[in-house]
Each structure stands twice: as C-alpha cells, then as structure tokens.
C-alpha cells in the first residue's frame, strides 16, 4: 500500500496557539490556500487514489471531503482510531500555560492527560489502524487526512525513531507524507509538501529507507492495544 498522509486545514484554535485535541474549531482565514497547495502538489505528482480516510473529527473529515470531491471519490471512511490525542481537560488552554503547569507535556509520551489519554495510547491506536489498512489495501494508494500528533506518532513508529524524542516537531498544514508499505512493513518514507520538523531539524533525510521488518517489531503496548473498529463510512 502507498499511503499519502496529510494534515487537516488550519482552525482558529490552531492559529491562536491553544490546545485542540478532540475538540473542534472553525476554519482559520487562509485555510483554503493550504488545502489547495496539498491537492495541487498531489495532482502534479500524478497520484491516483483508490480510497480516502480521515479521523472522525470535523476538521479532518471536511478536509478529506474537499480532496475527495476533487478526486471524484464519493465516500470517505472515518475512524476515531485516527483522532488527535485526547487532551481532556486541557481543551482550549494556551499552549504556553500548559507547558508551565504540566512539565511532562510533550516530554513523556506515557503521561495521561486529565480526563484524556497519553501520546502513547494515541500512537497505539493509529499505528494499529494504519497497519490494518496496509494489509487490506495492498497494491493500492490511499489518502489519509489526520492530525499533527498522529503524524508524529506514525513517523516515529514506522521510521524506527524514539518516540519521546520527537513529540514537538513542526507539522505544517501543507505537510504531505508518502509512506510505502510491503504488507504491514513501511519500506520507504518521503515528503512531498512543506518539510516536517523531522526533515528541517535534520533528524532524517528524504527519501528515507525504513527499518526492515525485523526491526519494526510492534511494542508490547501496541500488541496489547485493541484492534480498531471497522471504519465508519461517510457519504459526501
């Protein structure tokens, strides 16, 4: 499977430097230029898609629907397994305030936010879901619209990086990740849009050859994670 993974449009809360998580927010001005940049870049690359997926959060679903309409795809598949990390009580809190009052924020992937979840839990569910898709959609190309936190978790896992070291890299709304799978194993990673912090911070160079299957052993925590539910289907 080839998975083209991109981020949702920018929201007002994204622009105001607040915590969003499982909440939602109206689109920020300039959102359409970002989404059109992504769609144009994919069209220039001549990528043909067989299916479109997203989280079930509104900002992700609407972005996926925008792309699906341009692609002539009339159904999108959404799942909570692809949702951003659940920050619980921290919804709409200023990021600076959170950093001052929650010292483990974006430093410890196992820290569970009050009334929410940990980054590790979010990574478990999203990796499990992508692995399921990779097995189901072999020899096909899919578009997946998700969130910055999900993208960091996926890149860290499939590229064999220590997750705790990579919780803060910038992920633009013009990011386009290109993941190539052989079965459940990611064999190559590239970026087609605005470079992520993984590239601009010199963590990796693209295109990147992923660790072989034996190195991509799913952790005990991921093995214990429940398989994601069958994705909900939304008609456009």
């Amino acid at each position: 499977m080839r998975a083209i993974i991109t981020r949702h449009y920018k929201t007002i809360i994204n622009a105001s430097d607040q915590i969003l998580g499982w909440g939602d927010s109206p689109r920020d001005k300039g959102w359409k230029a970002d989404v059109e940049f992504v769609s144009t870049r994919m069209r220039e690359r001549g990528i043909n898609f067989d299916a479109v997926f997203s989280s079930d959060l509104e900002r992700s679903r609407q972005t996926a629907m925008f792309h699906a309409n341009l692609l002539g795809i009339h159904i999108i598949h959404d799942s909570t397994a692809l949702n951003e990390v659940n920050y619980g009580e921290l919804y709409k809190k200023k990021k600076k305030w959170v950093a001052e009052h929650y010292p483990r924020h974006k430093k410890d992937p196992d820290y569970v936010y009050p009334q929410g979840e940990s980054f590790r839990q979010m990574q478990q569910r999203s990796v499990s879901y992508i692995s399921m898709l990779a097995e189901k959609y072999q020899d096909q190309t899919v578009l997946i619209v998700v969130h910055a936190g999900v993208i960091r978790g996926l890149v860290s896992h499939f590229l064999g990086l220590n997750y705790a070291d990579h919780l803060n890299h910038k992920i633009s709304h013009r990011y386009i990740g290109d993941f190539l799978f052989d079965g459940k194993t990611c064999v190559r990673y590239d970026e087609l849009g605005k470079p992520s912090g993984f590239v601009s911070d010199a963590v990796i160079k693209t295109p990147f050859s992923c660790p072989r299957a034996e190195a991509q052993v799913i952790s005990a925590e991921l093995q214990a994670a429940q398989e994601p539910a069958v994705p909900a289907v939304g008609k456009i």
Side-chain angles (χ1 to χ4, degrees), residues 81-92:
L82 296 175
N83 282 11
E84 180 61 285
V85 66
N86 183 357
Y87 286 106
E89 296 176 357
L90 301 187
Y91 174 56
K92 283 191 174 182

Side-chain angles (χ1 to χ4, degrees), residues 9-236:
Y9 59 63
K10 183 184 291 185
T11 70
I12 291 175
I13 287 182
N14 290 141
S16 63
D17 210 31
Q18 292 173 283
I19 294 288
L20 190 48
W22 279 25
D24 251 314
S25 171
R27 292 173 288 203
D28 187 48
K29 61 181 180 180
W31 71 271
K32 194 170 184 180
D34 291 335
V35 177
E36 288 179 340
F37 171 90
V38 171
S39 64
T40 298
R41 186 60 58 91
M42 294 189 299
R43 185 171 62 252
E44 290 172 346
R45 292 285 183 135
I47 304 173
N48 297 311
F49 293 96
D50 298 290
V52 177
F53 297 83
S54 81
S55 82
D56 82 338
L57 297 173
E58 192 68 13
R59 58 192 183 277
S60 178
R61 291 191 74 256
Q62 287 189 0
T63 305
M65 291 167 73
F66 177 94
H67 292 306
N69 276 323
L70 293 178
L71 295 168
I73 295 176
H74 304 295
I75 293 176
I76 63 168
H77 307 269
D78 58 76
S79 172
T80 56
L82 296 175
N83 282 11
E84 180 61 285
V85 66
N86 183 357
Y87 286 106
E89 296 176 357
L90 301 187
Y91 174 56
K92 283 191 174 182
K93 298 290 187 184
K94 284 288 188 179
K95 292 179 180 179
K96 183 178 179 181
W97 182 91
V98 172
E100 291 172 351
H101 291 81
Y102 292 83
R104 295 169 68 186
H105 173 62
K106 289 202 172 181
K107 294 180 180 178
D108 180 1
D110 295 302
Y111 173 66
V112 179
Y113 291 93
Q115 303 301 312
E117 65 179 343
S118 70
F119 277 101
R120 186 85 65 188
Q121 290 169 325
M122 179 269 292
Q123 185 192 40
Q124 289 170 354
R125 57 176 164 77
S126 57
V127 166
S128 293
Y129 190 86
I130 297 299
S131 298
M132 177 272 290
L133 291 183
E135 196 167 45
K136 182 177 180 180
Y137 287 86
Q138 295 185 44
D139 302 319
Q140 296 186 66
T141 300
V142 300
L143 174 63
I144 305 173
V145 181
V146 288
H147 309 267
V150 173
I151 292 167
R152 295 186 197 100
L154 295 175
V155 173
S156 295
H157 175 78
F158 288 116
L159 275 60
L161 306 174
N162 181 28
Y163 192 26
D165 295 334
H166 302 289
L167 297 173
N168 279 294
H169 294 301
K170 176 70 175 177
I171 305 294
S172 169
H173 294 276
R174 297 188 176 198
Y175 164 89
I176 308 171
D178 187 354
F179 296 74
L180 181 64
F181 289 85
D182 180 3
K184 292 184 177 181
T185 302
C186 181
V187 295
R188 183 186 61 81
Y189 171 77
D190 203 354
E191 295 189 4
L192 311 180
K194 184 173 180 178
S196 72
F198 289 92
V199 174
S200 60
D201 296 337
V203 176
I204 63 168
K205 293 182 179 180
T206 54
F208 181 90
S209 295
C210 300
R212 299 310 304 167
E214 58 271 18
Q216 283 192 30
V217 177
I218 296 180
S219 69
E221 291 172 308
L222 279 172
Q223 289 176 350
Q226 293 183 350
E227 287 293 324
V230 176
V233 177
K235 291 188 177 181
I236 297 175

